[in-house]
Amino acid sequence: MDIQYDHEAIVIGSGFGGSINTCRLAKKWPGRVMLLERGKRYPMGSFPRSPHGMAQNFWNLPTDKSGAPKADGKESHGLFDVRNFDHIDAVVSAGLGGGSLIYANVFLQPPDEVFDHNWPEAIQKAALQPYYAISKQVLGARPIPQGQDPRRKVIRTELFQQFAKAEGHESKLLDINVFFGNDFDNPTPIGLQEKNRYGAVQTSCVYCAECDVGCNTHSKNSLDLNYLHVAEHRYRAEIKTQVLGRKIVPLDAQGNDSPEAEGEFGYRVYWQDLNDGHSLRSATCRTVVVSSGTLGSNELLMRCRDLYKTLPGISQKLGQHFSGNGDFLSFVVAGDKAADPNYGPVITQGIDYNLFKDFNREQAFILEDASYPNFAAWYTEGIKPGVSQFHALLRTVRVMFARFVQGISTGHLGYALKELLKGDLSHNTSVLLCMGIDKSNGEMSLNDEGHLHVKWPYKDSMSLYKAILATGERFRKWCKGKAFIPLPNWLWPMKRNVTVHALGGCRLATNPNEGVTSAAPETFGQVFGYRGLYVADGALLPTAVGANPVATICALSERVAEGITGIAPSADL
């Protein structure tokens, strides 16, 4: 009998891999592709900013025993999903557009040396070059505009460039996926809105430094404004939000669930509807693309293999070669040079340390000028040591008293407020974001509750971390900072990294003894042993790439989509 499929394809997850595949597959099969996303939609202006809103802006399912921190017992479907593992914590996003909603916008190809023997011939850099180029065009990557408008001056860009020169290293402006208007040569004035080339309304970047907490002006070129916008509005893809993919089961020739099958008759995908009491629903399709991010994709496939026994044939290499891409965040506090980390796109430039030049695999990283929002600067002022606040208050009282005996005026009050607020800690604090070539030897597995756990042997990558720490200390001395502070959880005795670029676990390979997904051109990204079951996200990467991994994830995902559809990708979508 002929199976009547509900859809030609179902995509699970809407990050870079999921959005690209939803768009490309929907072009091949208009109206026959469905996307499942666990998070919410975020229209312009909908990202929380108040303390109450931010407190509720975390992913929390009370029944989830994944080890994520629980602020309270209430269920919330917020933007940030924070996971605690063994010597590493991970931050991922839940929302339509996945990690593009909170990433730092950088589109950067890694150096040739990254593509070593762990990367099969079919995914060497030269083979991926056309896919890098296409995704770069779609995402609108470009350096921050230069010009006469003083509002386009970003102080920390110049600061980091000066430090690079003092170090004898190269600094360059990075391509970032931020909207400055459709004409790269003539940027749209700051704050003005226009439709992008795909029909979505965006605002020319307002330099608010809020990229990493959701862009309320839609100045970030997030996936809901390009790939997903076209998929939904032009190719009629069905997009479901607040639904959580739970299980994938092959079908037999009659369309019944059959764990013994290998995908030749398609699949049934089960999901939890978080909008409707967590009710379990399902649909059938010929093709499934798993794009739930490195953590989500590995967890889903492990559950299907080991708990539900619906995909028992997946390679035993599943979950191996986890990488945090060498992520390391730190701060240099109260230097003698202005940094103004609360202005501009969250990253503008990068300084190369043995990654692109004089490659040294043991210590290769890039240093980027990170930032944080204005509201975080106010919070910083509020938690300054009491003695600092007391001195500021004394100054203010002294000034107000002096002005009072001379006569009160608005100008005098303004002068007093200036005294209270001047010398703010943030203005001279630099945020150092590094990423590099770690050992990519972490292991993912399911814990006793059936949720993902990661073991990260951080000591094996200490040569990288020591090089980063030494550079941060030199930065402090150079700008005469009062302190160099890594994220507190790195300090003894915790020694935990934090990654926002989890990679690996479903690595591309030539056979199932070396990886989980096929690197062969005719089956690119397909899970070994299962026809029509693909992975398309950061889980595919065989190793860390050192550079921000978005560009490489996009290139690989475009290649997966081309293999499924047989259509060469185009920037016209």
Side-chain angles (χ1 to χ4, degrees):
M1 95 180 206
D2 291 333
I3 301 174
Q4 299 299 309
Y5 297 100
D6 299 311
H7 305 276
E8 281 291 333
I10 295 176
V11 180
I12 306 174
S14 67
F16 289 95
S19 293
I20 288 171
N21 275 269
T22 298
C23 183
R24 300 305 187 186
L25 272 58
K27 182 177 183 179
K28 170 77 171 179
W29 299 297
R32 298 285 296 158
V33 174
M34 181 170 68
L35 169 67
L36 304 177
E37 165 55 50
R38 64 174 176 156
K40 306 173 186 175
R41 289 179 183 262
Y42 286 94
M44 187 180 292
S46 63
F47 292 101
R49 290 294 184 267
S50 69
H52 177 78
M54 290 300 289
Q56 303 303 314
N57 201 22
F58 293 87
W59 184 262
N60 181 18
L61 298 184
T63 57
D64 187 340
K65 303 288 202 289
S66 63
K70 310 295 184 186
D72 53 41
K74 297 179 181 178
E75 180 168 332
S76 61
H77 306 154
L79 185 62
F80 296 97
D81 185 359
V82 183
R83 304 287 189 94
N84 301 137
F85 301 123
D86 185 2
H87 289 297
I88 198 164
D89 297 333
V91 181
V92 295
S93 176
L96 186 64
S100 77
L101 299 175
I102 62 170
Y103 79 129
N105 313 311
V106 175
F107 192 97
L108 181 61
Q109 294 187 33
D112 296 346
E113 290 84 354
V114 162
F115 299 84
D116 61 9
H117 64 280
N118 292 296
W119 292 68
E121 187 65 31
I123 53 172
Q124 292 295 305
K125 189 175 180 181
L128 293 177
Q129 206 58 53
Y131 308 101
Y132 277 119
I134 290 295
S135 52
K136 180 178 179 179
Q137 290 182 62
V138 175
L139 294 172
R142 56 156 299 163
I144 188 171
Q146 306 298 292
Q148 300 303 314
D149 187 343
R151 295 180 300 167
R152 294 202 185 277
K153 180 178 180 179
V154 180
I155 293 175
R156 61 187 157 83
T157 306
E158 297 180 358
L159 178 68
F160 276 70
Q161 289 170 338
Q162 292 165 11
F163 174 68
K165 186 176 181 179
E167 285 269 283
H169 286 264
E170 179 181 343
S171 166
K172 71 172 185 177
L173 295 178
L174 298 175
D175 288 327
I176 55 177
N177 302 327
V178 175
F179 189 73
F180 300 101
N182 291 301
D183 186 344
F184 282 13
D185 296 325
N186 298 288
T188 298
I190 292 171
L192 293 189
Q193 291 183 342
E194 59 188 57
K195 286 187 176 181
N196 66 20
R197 61 185 296 190
Y198 304 112
V201 175
Q202 294 192 250
T203 306
S204 183
C205 181
V206 298
Y207 291 64
C208 66
E210 296 184 0
C211 309
D212 287 349
V213 291
C215 180
N216 269 330
T217 59
H218 275 185
S219 302
K220 174 200 287 278
N221 294 339
S222 51
L223 296 161
D224 52 328
L225 303 174
N226 37 72
Y227 284 106
L228 289 175
H229 185 85
V230 172
E232 185 170 32
H233 296 283
R234 187 182 303 170
Y235 301 127
R236 307 191 310 281
E238 181 182 354
I239 296 178
K240 291 183 177 292
T241 56
Q242 294 186 265
V243 294
L244 183 59
R246 281 302 190 191
K247 185 166 60 174
I248 304 166
V249 188
L251 302 176
D252 63 17
Q254 287 71 46
N256 300 314
D257 290 6
S258 176
E260 295 77 22
E262 297 179 347
E264 63 270 35
F265 304 111
Y267 297 88
R268 184 182 303 277
V269 176
Y270 291 84
W271 67 89
Q272 258 181 301
D273 190 339
L274 303 180
N275 302 287
D276 185 24
H278 292 219
S279 57
L280 194 64
R281 305 184 186 280
S282 69
T284 58
C285 61
R286 295 180 188 272
T287 301
V288 177
V289 182
V290 180
S291 301
S292 302
T294 292
L295 303 183
S297 293
N298 278 278
E299 184 174 57
L300 176 58
L301 293 178
M302 284 182 182
R303 285 177 176 174
C304 289
R305 186 190 66 184
D306 302 331
L307 285 184
Y308 310 134
K309 314 293 185 183
T310 59
L311 298 172
I314 294 179
S315 168
Q316 292 304 306
K317 294 294 182 180
L318 179 63
Q320 296 188 18
H321 303 286
F322 170 88
S323 166
N325 204 47
D327 286 358
F328 203 98
L329 183 65
S330 56
F331 305 84
V332 171
V333 179
D336 67 350
K337 299 174 178 63
D340 196 10
N342 314 126
Y343 188 76
V346 72
I347 286 174
T348 65
Q349 69 81 55
I351 304 174
D352 177 38
Y353 283 88
N354 302 115
L355 181 62
F356 292 93
K357 183 180 178 182
D358 301 326
F359 184 78
N360 178 353
R361 187 172 295 278
E362 293 299 309
Q363 298 183 338
F365 67 95
I366 187 170
L367 167 61
E368 297 173 351
D369 61 314
S371 63
Y372 55 93
N374 275 313
F375 65 78
W378 284 101
Y379 178 79
T380 301
E381 287 303 294
I383 62 171
K384 281 166 64 173
V387 64
S388 298
Q389 301 288 11
F390 182 67
H391 287 162
L393 183 60
L394 281 181
R395 286 199 313 267
T396 305
V397 170
R398 189 166 56 246
V399 169
M400 291 185 71
F401 179 78
R403 301 305 180 195
F404 177 76
V405 298
Q406 298 172 10
I408 297 176
S409 73
T410 303
H412 297 154
L413 179 59
Y415 189 91
L417 290 173
K418 177 181 177 181
E419 282 294 307
L420 180 62
L421 295 174
K422 76 177 185 180
D424 65 286
L425 188 63
S426 284
H427 193 70
N428 285 50
T429 292
S430 297
V431 186
L432 283 59
L433 175 61
C434 294
M435 58 201 75
I437 307 294
D438 62 29
K439 294 299 183 182
S440 307
N441 60 344
E443 292 189 13
M444 290 175 275
S445 60
L446 295 182
N447 63 18
D448 293 340
E449 302 290 341
H451 293 279
L452 191 76
H453 185 67
V454 179
K455 290 184 178 179
W456 178 239
Y458 75 94
K459 291 181 180 179
D460 294 346
S461 297
M462 280 304 297
S463 59
L464 169 65
Y465 301 138
K466 285 180 179 178
I468 291 172
L469 289 166
T471 302
E473 184 58 33
R474 292 198 306 274
F475 194 106
R476 182 197 67 78
K477 291 179 179 178
W478 173 76
C479 71
K480 298 180 175 59
K482 291 185 178 179
F484 167 64
I485 306 174
L487 278 184
N489 60 345
W490 174 253
L491 302 178
W492 187 88
M494 292 178 286
K495 284 295 183 183
R496 302 168 71 93
N497 292 100
V498 176
T499 181
V500 294
H501 298 127
L503 304 172
C506 300
R507 70 187 322 207
L508 290 156
T510 55
N511 63 73
N513 294 321
E514 297 178 350
V516 177
T517 52
S518 172
E522 61 274 12
T523 55
F524 195 86
Q526 186 169 264
V527 175
F528 285 120
Y530 290 94
R531 189 184 309 175
L533 176 61
Y534 296 83
V535 175
D537 56 28
L540 292 176
L541 274 65
T543 67
V545 291
N548 308 65
V550 162
T552 302
I553 293 170
C554 288
L556 292 173
S557 298
E558 286 279 17
R559 181 64 186 85
V560 171
E562 182 183 38
I564 297 173
T565 64
I567 302 173
S570 163
D572 294 332
L573 297 186

